[in-house]
Structures are given as C-alpha cells and as structure tokens.
Amino acid sequence: MAEVAPRRQPTLDEVAERAGVSRSVASRALNNAPHVSRAKREAVERAVRQLGYVPNPTARALATRQTGAAALVVSGEDPSIFADPFFAQVIVGASAALEEADLHLMLCLAASDRGRARVAGLLRSRGADGVMLMALREDDPLTRVAAEARMPVVFGGRPVGPAPRWYVDVDNAGGAREATEHLIARGRRRVAAICGRLDTEAGRARYRGYRDAVLGAGLDPFPPQAGDFTEPSGAAAMAALLAEHPDVDGVFAANDNMAAGALRTLRQAGRRVPDDVAVVGFDDLTVARIADPPLTTVHQPIEALGREMARMLVALVNGQDPIPLILPTRLVVRASA
C-alpha cells in the first residue's frame, strides 16, 4: 500500500494572504501585539481556522517582542529640521509605507548628546521593531551604535565610510554630473560648485559629480565652496565666490536651498541670471519652482526615498533580506540655466 505524503503545514504568509493583511500584521495579531484593529485581528483568526495554521514556537517567541512601531531618526543639530521640506517629504513617504504594514511612525531627533543617548538606548533595547537613520555625518557615534543594534536598521543615504548592509540612497554623483554638464553645454566655462557639508556622503558625492563633469570637459574645477544646505549658507558662499572669482559664469549648488541663497546674492550684486551667471540646484523642492527666476535643478524622488526606506525596514522585520537601493535622478530645466 502506497504511503500517503504528510500534509504540508500552512505558512504565516498564507495566513496573511487569506486574511488580506501584511505578514507583520498577521504576526502581531497571532501574538496579541498592540496596534492591530479588531477587524484585521478577526480576519487573521478566521484564516488560521480555515487553513489549520499552527504557529512555530520559535517564530512566536520572536514575534512577541514586536512593538508595532518603527522609528525615523535624524541626526542633526536643529530641532526644526523636521519642518524642512526635504524631511517633510521623506516623512510622508515613510508614513504611507508603514501604514500599509500597520506600523506606527516614531520621529526622533538626535540633536544633542542627550538625544543621541536616547536613540542609542532605543537601538539597544528594541524599543521599536526597526529604525531608519538619516543625515549622519562623518564619525557620527550613531553609525557605530547602529552596527551593534539588536533590531533592523535601514540608512536613508549612505554614511561616510564603508557602506552599511541596508540603505536607500539617490544617485547623488550622477545627478550632480548631469547638472554640471548642462551648464557646460550652455556655454559656461567658469563653473563653480557650492557644496553641502563635506562631512556627509551626499555633500562629497555631489562635489565628485561636479568635478567629474568639469574635468571631462577639459576645464578646471573650482575648489569646493562649502555650505550647510541652508539658504543663508548658499548666499554667503555665492558672495565669497564673486569676491574670489568675479568671472564665474555658472554655479552648481548642491541643494535648492543654497541655490536660492545664491540667486539672492547674485541679484543684490547686479548679476543677471542666467545671462551673466547660470545656476542649477539639486532636490526639486517647492523653492525651485517659486524662485526668481525659476530654478533649473536635479529632481530626486524624496517621497520615494522615505517610502522605500520604510518598505525595506518592513521586509527586514518580516525576516527577509533586501538589497540596497539607489534611486535615479533627472534634470528639470527651468529659466535659471
């Protein structure tokens, strides 16, 4: 008599699919974790009965440590940083992706030693199901703490130094190169760069892209005129450039805020844009569209950056091993160049 093959046990993924919820929601519902609606909990329980699902004891032990929340941590000095249009779009994208997984979003600012200590404690204590880290500078202690964390950590933008295992970034160097090539194609031969902070990978990568484009055209790159990604720093950097290199005829600014500051200084100095000096920014924020003149800039998918960070984190929470992701950029041509 032929042997009957043992019946395969249904999986948690099949329970989630039958219930019409994500895997993480199904896991939390099975383990009476918080932040699961009554309707979804009942749908999961119904799917368990229909499929005859029996939870794995080891997986159950891991799942009971879930908190139902994910943290977005920004390492910066200004408490108003979350009001910056860039980070506001990141939050919109991350929040939407986490909502799909029924995870709540926690916002944390590591703006002081005390703030960094709180974030370090969060990373070590599993006070959240996972963490997204952004705006890290060179030698930021949170990079080391993240490497030792007892929970999944996804970086938004690569930190300076060795690339972490999981990150989502944009093509900073490629976007900066395209922006500078655009200026050169418009006949500009004295093209300068207003850089972001050079203790960040984004600041360094965008200067590299500028430098590659200038050298590729057989021109001489300007030394980096550093700013800090704010409008006042862009205005100050432009003033310094005009004082040191009055013949400058093109400027690549590493973000739109600094480009807007450069436009202000050029206007005050009586320089016409783009006739005398052409300007290109990076980000494609609202300020680029309302600038006078409207700003040619590199569009980066900021909301998608937040969304993909959150999706990568959810995949890690669910036991998957996603690969790093680089999002493309594109040039948006307006009146400034």
Side-chain angles (χ1 to χ4, degrees), residues 22-73:
S22 68
R23 189 180 193 278
S24 60
V25 170
S27 175
R28 293 204 303 278
L30 287 171
N31 293 284
N32 296 314
H35 309 308
V36 180
S37 69
R38 180 176 178 180
K40 291 181 178 179
R41 197 180 298 276
E42 290 175 350
V44 170
E45 292 171 352
R46 186 163 52 250
V48 167
R49 291 194 300 271
Q50 292 171 350
L51 294 171
Y53 174 75
V54 179
N56 178 285
T58 303
R60 191 182 193 94
L62 290 172
T64 56
R65 292 204 297 268
Q66 291 187 343
T67 67
L72 174 62
V73 176

mmCIF file of all heavy atoms in Angstrom, residues 22-73:
data_model
loop_
_atom_site.group_PDB
_atom_site.id
_atom_site.type_symbol
_atom_site.label_atom_id
_atom_site.label_comp_id
_atom_site.label_asym_id
_atom_site.label_seq_id
_atom_site.Cartn_x
_atom_site.Cartn_y
_atom_site.Cartn_z
ATOM 1 N N SER A 22 -0.888 42.272 5.798
ATOM 2 C CA SER A 22 0.536 42.030 5.619
ATOM 3 C C SER A 22 1.003 40.944 6.579
ATOM 4 O O SER A 22 0.331 40.607 7.561
ATOM 5 C CB SER A 22 1.334 43.311 5.874
ATOM 6 O OG SER A 22 1.271 43.665 7.239
ATOM 7 N N ARG A 23 2.176 40.403 6.323
ATOM 8 C CA ARG A 23 2.743 39.363 7.169
ATOM 9 C C ARG A 23 2.971 39.867 8.593
ATOM 10 O O ARG A 23 2.715 39.157 9.563
ATOM 11 C CB ARG A 23 4.067 38.875 6.567
ATOM 12 C CG ARG A 23 4.649 37.628 7.241
ATOM 13 C CD ARG A 23 5.958 37.239 6.565
ATOM 14 N NE ARG A 23 6.395 35.917 6.959
ATOM 15 C CZ ARG A 23 7.062 35.641 8.075
ATOM 16 N NH1 ARG A 23 7.354 36.621 8.916
ATOM 17 N NH2 ARG A 23 7.434 34.413 8.353
ATOM 18 N N SER A 24 3.458 41.124 8.716
ATOM 19 C CA SER A 24 3.725 41.655 10.053
ATOM 20 C C SER A 24 2.436 41.837 10.841
ATOM 21 O O SER A 24 2.399 41.596 12.060
ATOM 22 C CB SER A 24 4.494 42.976 9.959
ATOM 23 O OG SER A 24 3.758 43.940 9.243
ATOM 24 N N VAL A 25 1.350 42.246 10.182
ATOM 25 C CA VAL A 25 0.061 42.390 10.868
ATOM 26 C C VAL A 25 -0.432 41.023 11.331
ATOM 27 O O VAL A 25 -0.916 40.864 12.463
ATOM 28 C CB VAL A 25 -0.975 43.069 9.951
ATOM 29 C CG1 VAL A 25 -2.362 42.997 10.567
ATOM 30 C CG2 VAL A 25 -0.587 44.519 9.709
ATOM 31 N N ALA A 26 -0.319 40.021 10.456
ATOM 32 C CA ALA A 26 -0.742 38.673 10.838
ATOM 33 C C ALA A 26 0.045 38.176 12.043
ATOM 34 O O ALA A 26 -0.516 37.591 12.979
ATOM 35 C CB ALA A 26 -0.565 37.719 9.665
ATOM 36 N N SER A 27 1.355 38.437 12.044
ATOM 37 C CA SER A 27 2.195 38.006 13.157
ATOM 38 C C SER A 27 1.774 38.673 14.463
ATOM 39 O O SER A 27 1.644 38.025 15.504
ATOM 40 C CB SER A 27 3.665 38.319 12.843
ATOM 41 O OG SER A 27 4.487 38.009 13.945
ATOM 42 N N ARG A 28 1.532 39.993 14.397
ATOM 43 C CA ARG A 28 1.160 40.697 15.628
ATOM 44 C C ARG A 28 -0.217 40.277 16.113
ATOM 45 O O ARG A 28 -0.466 40.171 17.316
ATOM 46 C CB ARG A 28 1.215 42.210 15.393
ATOM 47 C CG ARG A 28 2.632 42.727 15.155
ATOM 48 C CD ARG A 28 2.758 44.190 15.501
ATOM 49 N NE ARG A 28 1.820 45.024 14.768
ATOM 50 C CZ ARG A 28 2.003 45.456 13.525
ATOM 51 N NH1 ARG A 28 3.092 45.089 12.869
ATOM 52 N NH2 ARG A 28 1.118 46.226 12.938
ATOM 53 N N ALA A 29 -1.140 40.019 15.167
ATOM 54 C CA ALA A 29 -2.480 39.581 15.572
ATOM 55 C C ALA A 29 -2.421 38.238 16.282
ATOM 56 O O ALA A 29 -3.108 38.027 17.294
ATOM 57 C CB ALA A 29 -3.384 39.493 14.344
ATOM 58 N N LEU A 30 -1.603 37.318 15.788
ATOM 59 C CA LEU A 30 -1.484 35.997 16.390
ATOM 60 C C LEU A 30 -0.883 36.063 17.789
ATOM 61 O O LEU A 30 -1.119 35.180 18.623
ATOM 62 C CB LEU A 30 -0.632 35.088 15.502
ATOM 63 C CG LEU A 30 -1.300 34.593 14.217
ATOM 64 C CD1 LEU A 30 -0.297 33.885 13.338
ATOM 65 C CD2 LEU A 30 -2.464 33.673 14.560
ATOM 66 N N ASN A 31 -0.094 37.110 18.031
ATOM 67 C CA ASN A 31 0.599 37.192 19.311
ATOM 68 C C ASN A 31 0.061 38.290 20.224
ATOM 69 O O ASN A 31 0.730 38.701 21.165
ATOM 70 C CB ASN A 31 2.093 37.413 19.054
ATOM 71 C CG ASN A 31 2.731 36.199 18.399
ATOM 72 O OD1 ASN A 31 2.994 35.191 19.049
ATOM 73 N ND2 ASN A 31 2.965 36.282 17.089
ATOM 74 N N ASN A 32 -1.170 38.727 19.897
ATOM 75 C CA ASN A 32 -1.842 39.727 20.732
ATOM 76 C C ASN A 32 -1.004 40.975 20.945
ATOM 77 O O ASN A 32 -1.030 41.598 22.010
ATOM 78 C CB ASN A 32 -2.222 39.124 22.099
ATOM 79 C CG ASN A 32 -3.239 38.015 21.965
ATOM 80 O OD1 ASN A 32 -4.225 38.177 21.233
ATOM 81 N ND2 ASN A 32 -3.003 36.898 22.634
ATOM 82 N N ALA A 33 -0.229 41.339 19.918
ATOM 83 C CA ALA A 33 0.566 42.561 19.990
ATOM 84 C C ALA A 33 -0.353 43.764 19.773
ATOM 85 O O ALA A 33 -1.458 43.640 19.243
ATOM 86 C CB ALA A 33 1.670 42.536 18.938
ATOM 87 N N PRO A 34 0.097 44.970 20.190
ATOM 88 C CA PRO A 34 -0.746 46.164 20.052
ATOM 89 C C PRO A 34 -0.827 46.653 18.615
ATOM 90 O O PRO A 34 -0.153 46.155 17.728
ATOM 91 C CB PRO A 34 -0.039 47.189 20.941
ATOM 92 C CG PRO A 34 1.396 46.778 20.918
ATOM 93 C CD PRO A 34 1.377 45.271 20.874
ATOM 94 N N HIS A 35 -1.697 47.642 18.400
ATOM 95 C CA HIS A 35 -1.822 48.360 17.138
ATOM 96 C C HIS A 35 -2.320 47.473 16.007
ATOM 97 O O HIS A 35 -1.867 47.583 14.877
ATOM 98 C CB HIS A 35 -0.501 49.006 16.738
ATOM 99 C CG HIS A 35 0.132 49.830 17.810
ATOM 100 N ND1 HIS A 35 -0.553 50.821 18.471
ATOM 101 C CD2 HIS A 35 1.372 49.794 18.348
ATOM 102 C CE1 HIS A 35 0.251 51.381 19.373
ATOM 103 N NE2 HIS A 35 1.405 50.766 19.327
ATOM 104 N N VAL A 36 -3.244 46.564 16.307
ATOM 105 C CA VAL A 36 -3.918 45.782 15.271
ATOM 106 C C VAL A 36 -5.412 45.986 15.460
ATOM 107 O O VAL A 36 -5.945 45.771 16.549
ATOM 108 C CB VAL A 36 -3.576 44.282 15.349
ATOM 109 C CG1 VAL A 36 -4.297 43.509 14.247
ATOM 110 C CG2 VAL A 36 -2.075 44.063 15.245
ATOM 111 N N SER A 37 -6.101 46.423 14.401
ATOM 112 C CA SER A 37 -7.534 46.697 14.521
ATOM 113 C C SER A 37 -8.310 45.403 14.773
ATOM 114 O O SER A 37 -7.854 44.302 14.444
ATOM 115 C CB SER A 37 -8.044 47.361 13.242
ATOM 116 O OG SER A 37 -8.020 46.451 12.159
ATOM 117 N N ARG A 38 -9.497 45.564 15.341
ATOM 118 C CA ARG A 38 -10.323 44.389 15.648
ATOM 119 C C ARG A 38 -10.683 43.631 14.374
ATOM 120 O O ARG A 38 -10.655 42.402 14.342
ATOM 121 C CB ARG A 38 -11.596 44.846 16.359
ATOM 122 C CG ARG A 38 -12.531 43.704 16.721
ATOM 123 C CD ARG A 38 -13.735 44.200 17.501
ATOM 124 N NE ARG A 38 -14.658 43.120 17.798
ATOM 125 C CZ ARG A 38 -15.793 43.279 18.463
ATOM 126 N NH1 ARG A 38 -16.128 44.490 18.908
ATOM 127 N NH2 ARG A 38 -16.583 42.252 18.691
ATOM 128 N N ALA A 39 -10.980 44.373 13.298
ATOM 129 C CA ALA A 39 -11.375 43.726 12.040
ATOM 130 C C ALA A 39 -10.232 42.874 11.483
ATOM 131 O O ALA A 39 -10.450 41.730 11.039
ATOM 132 C CB ALA A 39 -11.799 44.780 11.029
ATOM 133 N N LYS A 40 -9.011 43.390 11.530
ATOM 134 C CA LYS A 40 -7.876 42.637 10.997
ATOM 135 C C LYS A 40 -7.539 41.451 11.899
ATOM 136 O O LYS A 40 -7.172 40.377 11.414
ATOM 137 C CB LYS A 40 -6.669 43.553 10.832
ATOM 138 C CG LYS A 40 -6.843 44.571 9.721
ATOM 139 C CD LYS A 40 -5.631 45.454 9.554
ATOM 140 C CE LYS A 40 -5.846 46.436 8.393
ATOM 141 N NZ LYS A 40 -4.698 47.337 8.198
ATOM 142 N N ARG A 41 -7.679 41.652 13.197
ATOM 143 C CA ARG A 41 -7.408 40.539 14.118
ATOM 144 C C ARG A 41 -8.391 39.393 13.863
ATOM 145 O O ARG A 41 -8.017 38.212 13.825
ATOM 146 C CB ARG A 41 -7.514 41.041 15.562
ATOM 147 C CG ARG A 41 -6.873 40.105 16.593
ATOM 148 C CD ARG A 41 -7.028 40.677 17.993
ATOM 149 N NE ARG A 41 -6.354 41.962 18.134
ATOM 150 C CZ ARG A 41 -5.063 42.099 18.413
ATOM 151 N NH1 ARG A 41 -4.305 41.028 18.551
ATOM 152 N NH2 ARG A 41 -4.523 43.295 18.533
ATOM 153 N N GLU A 42 -9.667 39.747 13.651
ATOM 154 C CA GLU A 42 -10.676 38.714 13.400
ATOM 155 C C GLU A 42 -10.431 38.035 12.051
ATOM 156 O O GLU A 42 -10.645 36.820 11.918
ATOM 157 C CB GLU A 42 -12.068 39.336 13.440
ATOM 158 C CG GLU A 42 -12.499 39.759 14.854
ATOM 159 C CD GLU A 42 -13.838 40.473 14.856
ATOM 160 O OE1 GLU A 42 -14.337 40.806 13.758
ATOM 161 O OE2 GLU A 42 -14.383 40.695 15.965
ATOM 162 N N ALA A 43 -9.973 38.801 11.046
ATOM 163 C CA ALA A 43 -9.688 38.209 9.740
ATOM 164 C C ALA A 43 -8.547 37.209 9.835
ATOM 165 O O ALA A 43 -8.574 36.143 9.209
ATOM 166 C CB ALA A 43 -9.347 39.315 8.743
ATOM 167 N N VAL A 44 -7.535 37.523 10.641
ATOM 168 C CA VAL A 44 -6.407 36.610 10.823
ATOM 169 C C VAL A 44 -6.867 35.356 11.554
ATOM 170 O O VAL A 44 -6.496 34.228 11.177
ATOM 171 C CB VAL A 44 -5.269 37.304 11.585
ATOM 172 C CG1 VAL A 44 -4.191 36.304 11.986
ATOM 173 C CG2 VAL A 44 -4.666 38.417 10.735
ATOM 174 N N GLU A 45 -7.648 35.527 12.605
ATOM 175 C CA GLU A 45 -8.137 34.363 13.356
ATOM 176 C C GLU A 45 -8.978 33.445 12.469
ATOM 177 O O GLU A 45 -8.888 32.208 12.552
ATOM 178 C CB GLU A 45 -8.943 34.843 14.558
ATOM 179 C CG GLU A 45 -8.099 35.547 15.613
ATOM 180 C CD GLU A 45 -8.941 36.202 16.693
ATOM 181 O OE1 GLU A 45 -10.194 36.228 16.533
ATOM 182 O OE2 GLU A 45 -8.368 36.696 17.685
ATOM 183 N N ARG A 46 -9.770 34.048 11.595
ATOM 184 C CA ARG A 46 -10.596 33.257 10.681
ATOM 185 C C ARG A 46 -9.720 32.484 9.695
ATOM 186 O O ARG A 46 -9.957 31.302 9.408
ATOM 187 C CB ARG A 46 -11.555 34.194 9.941
ATOM 188 C CG ARG A 46 -12.581 33.480 9.064
ATOM 189 C CD ARG A 46 -13.743 34.405 8.701
ATOM 190 N NE ARG A 46 -13.290 35.667 8.124
ATOM 191 C CZ ARG A 46 -13.377 36.854 8.741
ATOM 192 N NH1 ARG A 46 -13.904 36.946 9.955
ATOM 193 N NH2 ARG A 46 -12.953 37.945 8.133
ATOM 194 N N ALA A 47 -8.672 33.139 9.176
ATOM 195 C CA ALA A 47 -7.758 32.479 8.243
ATOM 196 C C ALA A 47 -7.023 31.329 8.915
ATOM 197 O O ALA A 47 -6.790 30.275 8.309
ATOM 198 C CB ALA A 47 -6.767 33.500 7.692
ATOM 199 N N VAL A 48 -6.648 31.501 10.177
ATOM 200 C CA VAL A 48 -5.964 30.439 10.926
ATOM 201 C C VAL A 48 -6.860 29.210 11.031
ATOM 202 O O VAL A 48 -6.414 28.071 10.821
ATOM 203 C CB VAL A 48 -5.565 30.956 12.325
ATOM 204 C CG1 VAL A 48 -5.159 29.795 13.228
ATOM 205 C CG2 VAL A 48 -4.417 31.960 12.207
ATOM 206 N N ARG A 49 -8.131 29.439 11.346
ATOM 207 C CA ARG A 49 -9.062 28.310 11.472
ATOM 208 C C ARG A 49 -9.275 27.613 10.133
ATOM 209 O O ARG A 49 -9.279 26.374 10.059
ATOM 210 C CB ARG A 49 -10.407 28.803 12.029
ATOM 211 C CG ARG A 49 -10.359 29.248 13.481
ATOM 212 C CD ARG A 49 -11.773 29.398 14.040
ATOM 213 N NE ARG A 49 -12.547 30.394 13.293
ATOM 214 C CZ ARG A 49 -12.591 31.697 13.576
ATOM 215 N NH1 ARG A 49 -11.875 32.173 14.591
ATOM 216 N NH2 ARG A 49 -13.339 32.510 12.864
ATOM 217 N N GLN A 50 -9.423 28.396 9.082
ATOM 218 C CA GLN A 50 -9.684 27.814 7.770
ATOM 219 C C GLN A 50 -8.497 27.011 7.247
ATOM 220 O O GLN A 50 -8.675 25.961 6.617
ATOM 221 C CB GLN A 50 -10.035 28.934 6.781
ATOM 222 C CG GLN A 50 -11.369 29.608 7.069
ATOM 223 C CD GLN A 50 -11.584 30.854 6.212
ATOM 224 O OE1 GLN A 50 -10.667 31.333 5.538
ATOM 225 N NE2 GLN A 50 -12.811 31.388 6.245
ATOM 226 N N LEU A 51 -7.288 27.498 7.517
ATOM 227 C CA LEU A 51 -6.096 26.835 6.997
ATOM 228 C C LEU A 51 -5.527 25.787 7.942
ATOM 229 O O LEU A 51 -4.691 24.975 7.539
ATOM 230 C CB LEU A 51 -5.008 27.885 6.699
ATOM 231 C CG LEU A 51 -5.317 28.881 5.571
ATOM 232 C CD1 LEU A 51 -4.255 29.978 5.534
ATOM 233 C CD2 LEU A 51 -5.389 28.168 4.232
ATOM 234 N N GLY A 52 -5.940 25.827 9.198
ATOM 235 C CA GLY A 52 -5.363 24.909 10.167
ATOM 236 C C GLY A 52 -3.931 25.264 10.520
ATOM 237 O O GLY A 52 -3.087 24.388 10.737
ATOM 238 N N TYR A 53 -3.650 26.546 10.581
ATOM 239 C CA TYR A 53 -2.278 27.017 10.839
ATOM 240 C C TYR A 53 -1.899 26.815 12.303
ATOM 241 O O TYR A 53 -2.678 27.097 13.210
ATOM 242 C CB TYR A 53 -2.167 28.495 10.478
ATOM 243 C CG TYR A 53 -0.841 29.121 10.842
ATOM 244 C CD1 TYR A 53 0.301 28.872 10.091
ATOM 245 C CD2 TYR A 53 -0.739 29.969 11.952
ATOM 246 C CE1 TYR A 53 1.513 29.451 10.418
ATOM 247 C CE2 TYR A 53 0.477 30.548 12.285
ATOM 248 C CZ TYR A 53 1.593 30.287 11.518
ATOM 249 O OH TYR A 53 2.802 30.856 11.854
ATOM 250 N N VAL A 54 -0.665 26.307 12.520
ATOM 251 C CA VAL A 54 -0.110 26.144 13.864
ATOM 252 C C VAL A 54 1.163 26.975 13.950
ATOM 253 O O VAL A 54 2.113 26.726 13.199
ATOM 254 C CB VAL A 54 0.208 24.669 14.180
ATOM 255 C CG1 VAL A 54 0.815 24.547 15.572
ATOM 256 C CG2 VAL A 54 -1.045 23.814 14.052
ATOM 257 N N PRO A 55 1.218 27.999 14.817
ATOM 258 C CA PRO A 55 2.406 28.860 14.888
ATOM 259 C C PRO A 55 3.655 28.088 15.277
ATOM 260 O O PRO A 55 3.611 27.157 16.078
ATOM 261 C CB PRO A 55 2.048 29.886 15.978
ATOM 262 C CG PRO A 55 0.553 29.841 16.065
ATOM 263 C CD PRO A 55 0.168 28.427 15.749
ATOM 264 N N ASN A 56 4.773 28.475 14.679
ATOM 265 C CA ASN A 56 6.075 27.938 15.056
ATOM 266 C C ASN A 56 6.498 28.562 16.387
ATOM 267 O O ASN A 56 6.494 29.777 16.533
ATOM 268 C CB ASN A 56 7.092 28.282 13.963
ATOM 269 C CG ASN A 56 8.482 27.794 14.303
ATOM 270 O OD1 ASN A 56 9.155 28.374 15.146
ATOM 271 N ND2 ASN A 56 8.909 26.748 13.628
ATOM 272 N N PRO A 57 6.866 27.745 17.377
ATOM 273 C CA PRO A 57 7.194 28.304 18.701
ATOM 274 C C PRO A 57 8.330 29.315 18.666
ATOM 275 O O PRO A 57 8.292 30.333 19.356
ATOM 276 C CB PRO A 57 7.586 27.064 19.518
ATOM 277 C CG PRO A 57 6.952 25.919 18.819
ATOM 278 C CD PRO A 57 6.939 26.272 17.375
ATOM 279 N N THR A 58 9.355 29.053 17.851
ATOM 280 C CA THR A 58 10.483 29.987 17.795
ATOM 281 C C THR A 58 10.068 31.304 17.183
ATOM 282 O O THR A 58 10.388 32.385 17.686
ATOM 283 C CB THR A 58 11.631 29.370 16.977
ATOM 284 O OG1 THR A 58 12.002 28.133 17.569
ATOM 285 C CG2 THR A 58 12.825 30.303 16.946
ATOM 286 N N ALA A 59 9.325 31.209 16.070
ATOM 287 C CA ALA A 59 8.865 32.438 15.434
ATOM 288 C C ALA A 59 7.934 33.202 16.359
ATOM 289 O O ALA A 59 7.951 34.430 16.413
ATOM 290 C CB ALA A 59 8.145 32.103 14.131
ATOM 291 N N ARG A 60 7.142 32.466 17.128
ATOM 292 C CA ARG A 60 6.214 33.120 18.055
ATOM 293 C C ARG A 60 6.969 33.883 19.127
ATOM 294 O O ARG A 60 6.612 35.006 19.495
ATOM 295 C CB ARG A 60 5.312 32.056 18.691
ATOM 296 C CG ARG A 60 4.150 32.648 19.472
ATOM 297 C CD ARG A 60 3.311 31.557 20.121
ATOM 298 N NE ARG A 60 2.059 32.087 20.602
ATOM 299 C CZ ARG A 60 0.943 32.074 19.920
ATOM 300 N NH1 ARG A 60 0.924 31.570 18.706
ATOM 301 N NH2 ARG A 60 -0.158 32.590 20.426
ATOM 302 N N ALA A 61 8.054 33.302 19.610
ATOM 303 C CA ALA A 61 8.850 33.978 20.634
ATOM 304 C C ALA A 61 9.449 35.270 20.100
ATOM 305 O O ALA A 61 9.511 36.283 20.786
ATOM 306 C CB ALA A 61 9.962 33.052 21.117
ATOM 307 N N LEU A 62 9.871 35.239 18.828
ATOM 308 C CA LEU A 62 10.416 36.457 18.227
ATOM 309 C C LEU A 62 9.320 37.493 18.018
ATOM 310 O O LEU A 62 9.515 38.680 18.273
ATOM 311 C CB LEU A 62 11.072 36.116 16.888
ATOM 312 C CG LEU A 62 12.368 35.316 16.964
ATOM 313 C CD1 LEU A 62 12.782 34.877 15.557
ATOM 314 C CD2 LEU A 62 13.482 36.127 17.616
ATOM 315 N N ALA A 63 8.170 37.031 17.561
ATOM 316 C CA ALA A 63 7.098 37.964 17.231
ATOM 317 C C ALA A 63 6.562 38.681 18.456
ATOM 318 O O ALA A 63 6.122 39.826 18.378
ATOM 319 C CB ALA A 63 5.960 37.216 16.529
ATOM 320 N N THR A 64 6.566 38.042 19.601
ATOM 321 C CA THR A 64 6.030 38.680 20.792
ATOM 322 C C THR A 64 6.863 39.873 21.219
ATOM 323 O O THR A 64 6.421 40.672 22.038
ATOM 324 C CB THR A 64 5.961 37.673 21.953
ATOM 325 O OG1 THR A 64 7.268 37.114 22.164
ATOM 326 C CG2 THR A 64 4.973 36.568 21.662
ATOM 327 N N ARG A 65 8.063 40.022 20.655
ATOM 328 C CA ARG A 65 8.880 41.181 21.007
ATOM 329 C C ARG A 65 8.580 42.370 20.099
ATOM 330 O O ARG A 65 9.173 43.421 20.241
ATOM 331 C CB ARG A 65 10.368 40.810 20.915
ATOM 332 C CG ARG A 65 10.801 39.813 21.968
ATOM 333 C CD ARG A 65 12.289 39.907 22.229
ATOM 334 N NE ARG A 65 13.093 39.570 21.072
ATOM 335 C CZ ARG A 65 13.553 38.347 20.826
ATOM 336 N NH1 ARG A 65 13.282 37.352 21.646
ATOM 337 N NH2 ARG A 65 14.289 38.110 19.759
ATOM 338 N N GLN A 66 7.644 42.228 19.145
ATOM 339 C CA GLN A 66 7.329 43.334 18.264
ATOM 340 C C GLN A 66 6.562 44.421 19.010
ATOM 341 O O GLN A 66 5.746 44.147 19.892
ATOM 342 C CB GLN A 66 6.509 42.841 17.073
ATOM 343 C CG GLN A 66 7.331 41.966 16.118
ATOM 344 C CD GLN A 66 6.565 41.632 14.861
ATOM 345 O OE1 GLN A 66 5.357 41.768 14.803
ATOM 346 N NE2 GLN A 66 7.271 41.187 13.835
ATOM 347 N N THR A 67 6.843 45.656 18.645
ATOM 348 C CA THR A 67 6.222 46.794 19.317
ATOM 349 C C THR A 67 5.127 47.436 18.490
ATOM 350 O O THR A 67 4.335 48.215 19.011
ATOM 351 C CB THR A 67 7.279 47.865 19.626
ATOM 352 O OG1 THR A 67 7.761 48.420 18.391
ATOM 353 C CG2 THR A 67 8.439 47.285 20.415
ATOM 354 N N GLY A 68 5.108 47.169 17.182
ATOM 355 C CA GLY A 68 4.126 47.806 16.318
ATOM 356 C C GLY A 68 4.525 49.198 15.886
ATOM 357 O O GLY A 68 3.687 49.957 15.398
ATOM 358 N N ALA A 69 5.806 49.562 16.052
ATOM 359 C CA ALA A 69 6.253 50.903 15.697
ATOM 360 C C ALA A 69 7.640 50.850 15.055
ATOM 361 O O ALA A 69 8.431 49.955 15.339
ATOM 362 C CB ALA A 69 6.287 51.800 16.928
ATOM 363 N N ALA A 70 7.910 51.806 14.184
ATOM 364 C CA ALA A 70 9.227 51.977 13.581
ATOM 365 C C ALA A 70 9.645 53.420 13.783
ATOM 366 O O ALA A 70 8.810 54.331 13.779
ATOM 367 C CB ALA A 70 9.192 51.636 12.095
ATOM 368 N N ALA A 71 10.937 53.640 13.967
ATOM 369 C CA ALA A 71 11.449 54.977 14.262
ATOM 370 C C ALA A 71 12.206 55.549 13.072
ATOM 371 O O ALA A 71 12.982 54.845 12.422
ATOM 372 C CB ALA A 71 12.356 54.937 15.487
ATOM 373 N N LEU A 72 11.970 56.824 12.792
ATOM 374 C CA LEU A 72 12.778 57.580 11.839
ATOM 375 C C LEU A 72 13.651 58.522 12.661
ATOM 376 O O LEU A 72 13.146 59.414 13.345
ATOM 377 C CB LEU A 72 11.899 58.374 10.878
ATOM 378 C CG LEU A 72 12.636 59.332 9.922
ATOM 379 C CD1 LEU A 72 13.576 58.564 9.001
ATOM 380 C CD2 LEU A 72 11.643 60.150 9.112
ATOM 381 N N VAL A 73 14.952 58.300 12.602
ATOM 382 C CA VAL A 73 15.905 59.072 13.404
ATOM 383 C C VAL A 73 16.720 59.969 12.486
ATOM 384 O O VAL A 73 17.308 59.493 11.511
ATOM 385 C CB VAL A 73 16.851 58.139 14.194
ATOM 386 C CG1 VAL A 73 17.897 58.951 14.945
ATOM 387 C CG2 VAL A 73 16.053 57.279 15.158
#
